[in-house]
Amino acid sequence: MVITRYGFENCVGAFFEMATSDARAILPAHLEPLEAMHTRSVLAVLAFQFTESEVGEYDELVMAIITPPRVEPGKPLPKAAFYPFMVATSTEASREHAIERWHLPHYMADLDFDFAENDGKMKVTVSESDQPIVELTVSEHDFNPTVNPYHCFTIEGDDRFKVNIFMNAPHSEHDEEEGELILHPHSMTEMLTLDEVSSYPMREEWYRAGVQTFEEMETI
Amino acid sequence: MSTGQNRIRESEHEDVSLGVDALDYDYTNFYFGSGEDAFALLEPFKAWWDQVHPRGYYQYELPLHSAPATTVDVEDTKTHEVRRGLINFASYNYLGLSYRDEVKAAIKEAVDVYGGGSSGSPILSGTTDLHRRLSKQLAEFKGKEAAMIFPTGYSANVGVIAGLMRSGDLIVADQFAHASIVDGMILSKAKSRFFRHNKPADLDRKLRGFDGKKLVIVEGVYSMDGDVAVLPEIMEVARAHNARVLIDEAHSTFVFGDNGRGVAEHFGLDDEVDIHIGTFSKSLGGQGGFVAGTQALIDYLRGFSRSRFFSCALAPTVVAGISKALELASNEPELRTQLWKNVDFMQARLREAGVDVAESESQVIPIMVRNDAKVFDIGEQLLREGVFINPVKYPAVGKHKSRFRMSISAAHSRDELDRGAQIIIDVLKSNEII
């Protein structure tokens, strides 16, 4: 099996309530949104500082809908499953790589990323031409060494794919609602009804320096 | 550097099916799962359950071999022994009524007249004169025009919410609302929203801009945290939006208010709140639930609360016991006084020792552990040291918000409270929680 590895300095992410009607409109027909509460699905916003990859260093923002994982007898059960519907990066090479290899939908411009760590919090600001698009703040909890498996679903035309992803790094997660998300009107966020996305997270995650490992993509 | 897959296989508690330490998983991992077989999750769930049950989950559904009194005999299903005389902080019997001689005598008397069950839906043959009498007693106690009985507290919330609200309406509930409230919201098909716990400003935001029928739902005392609804501020917001208000007083009836009617009475808002829900399983030590309000409300719900009329009516024996317990609770306000003395003693005893009891203001006291990995080990130690108390962990509460939920009863003696508190404090200290 061909394994693809990405070394990162930080990966911060958080889960936010969003309208299930938006989630269903975004997801392909074969995927269902996972509801945290009745009619409230889950928007995952993740930001990576990649330091080592086939395409060098780059920063990345992923917006995804959380879906049920695909259960396969005898295989590790993932912690969660995602359908990324918008990915933005800081370099053209990283976009070309991810589109070609993983069929991830991208915003096709180099964006500016600012990772500001202060007093146990990381604030990530993603901007274009000095106009902020996404402002994500995540707070830390205790860090423990972890290897967390995830499923990532993508599509290309009528073809459906799944890739197993492992996050191998010191990991912190909590539900203290200390973080924040500000989404600005922009073509990257136009698929979301912004008033329906909660500004406070139901879950905050932080991976310190570690490795993200992708197995080979499977057609499902 | 090894791949993630290899690192997983080096895990101390490796499991072939799961791949990682089983206790890193929880119920949420087995709730959803795509694929083609409706049984797809059964096998991985069993693999997980077989590992985690002896490591802690066995602490749920431990069989009692005695009444839910202040001390209980509990079967330890891990060691297969019955642990006798444990100090009981797990049962809801807030006034100690379930095993009172008068209650038992009323139940025995009802058995001779009515037999075991009610043998019918309440709208057909299941209603007895005992049911009618209890409904009247409840209405009088709550100071309302009418009341209606449900077979469980769960069905009361489901039946009332889904019986009243429809598709196109809006329901906004506190985010910590009980599952029965959430399920009622789902069943109603109304638009559902949740506001941040006890944050009226967020309630205002969620109600804003909606023109149709609106219902706001709160609890009097929140069952996992023991804190109280900020009802005056919530009422103000609800009224500003012309929203009706439902309060679930499951844990606050017979505890709060001059007459024990609940948190609404405590705040002087008894007549302002539109719908009052309660249960018989908490302070009255029985089972079942009820709704109280105007006659018009109860008459309407009688026709539309499907969870009631498609269920068998409460057994007459149960109703007889509840009726007697209600009479005792109403006539013996000293029970409530004693309960609050016990609550004040335990809250002070724990806080002085540095135990984190969060924002509890009631007889429901969360003993915060905030360590998901240790809560089951601590629970096992408490069981062996002589305390029966339930661990609560994710997903019932948030990540790292694991705790023990302590229920205080008026029947607890000062010695039981003191000994129980000391055991808890010692065990928490030995685990470096305090």
Side-chain angles (χ1 to χ4, degrees):
Chain A
M1 177 181 288
V2 177
I3 300 292
T4 308
R5 292 185 192 137
Y6 301 85
F8 58 83
E9 184 65 29
N10 279 293
C11 165
V12 292
F15 299 168
F16 303 88
E17 282 180 40
M18 65 175 288
T20 289
S21 52
D22 281 357
R24 286 194 196 284
I26 291 169
L27 288 172
H30 69 289
L31 295 175
E32 278 288 306
L34 189 152
E35 285 195 326
M37 292 184 186
H38 178 46
T39 71
R40 312 301 291 164
S41 293
V42 184
L43 169 68
V45 181
L46 311 159
F48 294 83
Q49 279 181 307
F50 287 117
T51 53
E52 190 181 345
S53 78
E54 294 176 21
V55 287
E57 291 185 15
Y58 64 100
D59 298 328
E60 182 181 77
L61 178 84
V62 178
M63 291 197 287
I65 307 291
I66 297 192
T67 72
R70 193 172 177 84
V71 176
E72 296 154 312
K75 293 194 175 178
L77 199 64
K79 293 285 279 186
F82 301 87
Y83 175 78
F85 64 93
M86 179 56 67
V87 181
T89 71
S90 56
T91 68
E92 184 176 354
S94 59
R95 285 194 296 280
E96 288 175 353
H97 164 81
I99 291 168
E100 181 189 337
R101 189 165 302 181
W102 311 120
H103 307 297
L104 288 166
H106 278 69
Y107 181 68
M108 298 304 290
D110 291 356
L111 297 187
D112 298 319
F113 286 73
D114 178 51
F115 286 78
E117 186 175 351
N118 185 30
D119 197 22
K121 290 188 175 181
M122 176 73 86
K123 180 173 183 183
V124 183
T125 306
V126 182
S127 313
E128 183 173 37
S129 306
D130 293 330
Q131 295 298 311
I133 304 166
V134 175
E135 296 172 71
L136 171 70
T137 304
V138 172
S139 61
E140 67 179 11
H141 199 273
D142 297 336
F143 283 91
N144 293 300
T146 315
V147 181
N148 281 332
Y150 297 96
H151 283 173
C152 174
F153 297 107
T154 58
I155 58 169
E156 180 68 45
D158 292 334
D159 295 328
R160 307 162 174 181
F161 305 101
K162 187 208 78 175
V163 61
N164 297 327
I165 298 175
F166 296 89
M167 294 292 286
N168 185 342
H171 178 231
S172 142
E173 64 177 345
H174 68 84
D175 301 347
E176 302 292 341
E177 301 181 357
E178 291 171 348
E180 187 181 37
L181 176 67
I182 302 173
L183 294 175
H184 298 271
H186 184 272
S187 58
M188 270 180 61
T189 59
E190 66 186 3
M191 285 184 277
L192 301 167
T193 307
L194 298 187
D195 285 348
E196 294 274 4
V197 179
S198 54
S199 57
Y200 61 93
M202 65 178 71
R203 171 70 50 81
E204 293 170 63
E205 309 238 10
W206 190 331
Y207 289 96
R208 292 285 191 188
V211 177
Q212 184 186 40
T213 306
F214 282 55
E215 291 185 345
E216 282 180 34
M217 180 166 270
E218 305 166 38
T219 300
I220 56 172
Chain B
M1 183 185 291
S2 63
T3 65
Q5 192 80 347
N6 288 335
R7 284 288 295 275
I8 286 172
R9 287 179 183 141
E10 291 162 9
S11 175
E12 186 185 351
H13 295 283
E14 180 203 339
D15 173 75
V16 173
S17 300
L18 296 169
V20 296
D21 182 1
L23 277 180
D24 284 347
Y25 286 80
D26 53 64
Y27 280 101
T28 62
N29 297 105
F30 304 93
Y31 188 71
F32 290 102
S34 53
E36 294 176 355
D37 186 357
F39 280 12
L41 287 168
L42 271 57
E43 188 183 321
F45 179 84
K46 187 178 186 314
W48 172 74
W49 185 248
D50 286 348
Q51 285 196 61
V52 299
H53 185 264
R55 293 174 64 191
Y57 281 86
Y58 78 91
Q59 290 168 37
Y60 299 112
E61 285 195 44
L62 294 179
L64 268 64
H65 287 229
S66 63
T70 56
T71 61
V72 282
D73 300 335
V74 179
E75 185 177 330
D76 183 337
T77 53
K78 186 174 182 179
T79 61
H80 305 292
E81 58 188 310
V82 176
R83 299 188 181 277
R84 300 200 181 277
L86 303 183
I87 301 170
N88 182 13
F89 292 128
S91 300
Y92 295 138
N93 216 350
Y94 298 138
L95 299 181
L97 291 171
S98 79
Y99 47 84
R100 281 271 293 258
D101 287 342
E102 301 94 317
V103 172
K104 289 194 282 190
I107 292 169
K108 287 172 186 168
E109 192 179 325
V111 168
D112 289 338
V113 177
Y114 301 94
S118 61
S119 303
S121 160
I123 63 164
L124 298 174
S125 62
T127 295
T128 67
D129 56 327
L130 297 182
H131 293 80
R132 295 289 291 272
R133 190 178 76 194
L134 178 59
S135 295
K136 282 185 182 172
Q137 266 183 287
L138 285 164
E140 284 171 18
F141 162 68
K142 291 293 282 186
K144 301 298 165 199
E145 290 176 12
M148 189 165 68
I149 302 168
F150 286 77
T152 63
Y154 176 91
S155 67
N157 272 325
V158 167
V160 170
I161 296 165
L164 187 67
M165 303 303 282
R166 304 284 177 265
S167 175
D169 299 343
L170 173 67
I171 306 174
V172 187
D174 188 287
Q175 72 179 110
F176 288 173
H178 189 262
S180 56
I181 292 170
V182 177
D183 288 359
M185 293 164 75
I186 294 170
L187 206 57
S188 77
K189 300 187 181 70
K191 185 175 180 179
S192 298
R193 291 289 179 269
F194 297 88
F195 66 97
R196 293 184 86 172
H197 178 53
N198 257 345
K199 301 277 191 253
D202 196 43
L203 170 63
D204 180 64
R205 202 171 73 85
K206 299 285 163 56
L207 286 168
R208 214 176 293 156
F210 187 85
D211 293 329
K213 298 188 187 80
K214 295 173 282 289
L215 178 66
V216 171
I217 304 179
V218 296
E219 296 184 17
V221 166
Y222 286 89
S223 61
M224 288 295 167
D225 294 84
D227 58 341
V228 174
V230 290
L231 197 59
E233 293 92 331
I234 285 165
M235 289 301 301
E236 195 178 326
V237 172
R239 288 298 181 243
H241 291 276
N242 292 319
R244 296 285 182 178
V245 175
L246 180 156
I247 187 166
D248 178 354
E249 302 250 30
H251 292 273
S252 43
T253 308
F254 295 107
V255 179
F256 283 82
D258 289 344
N259 297 293
R261 289 174 182 161
V263 162
E265 184 187 33
H266 169 76
F267 284 116
L269 294 166
D270 215 22
D271 293 332
E272 301 295 318
V273 173
D274 301 288
I275 307 170
H276 301 258
I277 300 276
T279 67
F280 304 132
S281 56
K282 309 300 189 294
S283 291
L284 296 184
Q287 70 178 80
F290 68 92
V291 56
T294 63
Q295 187 68 54
L297 173 73
I298 301 305
D299 286 346
Y300 182 82
L301 290 173
R302 196 181 306 283
F304 293 96
S305 291
R306 293 163 63 89
S307 64
R308 175 175 178 268
F309 63 72
F310 286 116
S311 297
C312 189
L314 276 179
T317 48
V318 172
V319 175
I322 295 164
S323 185
K324 178 54 72 177
L326 175 57
E327 186 184 311
L328 294 171
S330 301
N331 294 339
E332 298 180 17
E334 60 270 25
L335 289 174
R336 218 160 52 247
T337 305
Q338 184 59 46
L339 173 60
W340 277 107
K341 282 183 183 172
N342 288 354
V343 170
D344 291 344
F345 173 80
M346 183 56 90
Q347 292 251 9
R349 182 82 165 79
L350 294 172
R351 287 179 200 271
E352 279 166 16
V355 177
D356 178 359
V357 297
E359 307 298 321
S360 173
E361 306 166 71
S362 69
Q363 79 288 3
V364 178
I365 305 176
I367 311 280
M368 301 303 292
V369 174
R370 299 186 193 277
N371 187 324
D372 297 348
K374 278 188 173 179
V375 68
F376 281 145
D377 289 342
I378 295 171
E380 189 163 306
Q381 289 171 50
L382 289 171
L383 199 63
R384 289 176 184 168
E385 294 297 325
V387 167
F388 181 48
I389 189 169
N390 295 135
V392 185
K393 72 190 290 274
Y394 184 80
V397 292
K399 288 265 185 192
H400 306 301
K401 294 180 181 176
S402 50
R403 66 196 65 179
F404 292 91
R405 183 172 64 168
M406 170 182 270
S407 297
I408 300 297
S409 170
H412 279 122
S413 70
R414 182 57 58 92
D415 177 61
E416 287 166 341
L417 294 172
D418 195 47
R419 281 192 295 124
Q422 194 57 54
I423 291 169
I424 290 168
I425 290 163
D426 289 345
V427 170
L428 291 179
K429 277 183 178 169
S430 71
N431 284 277
E432 299 178 339
I433 300 298
I434 56 173

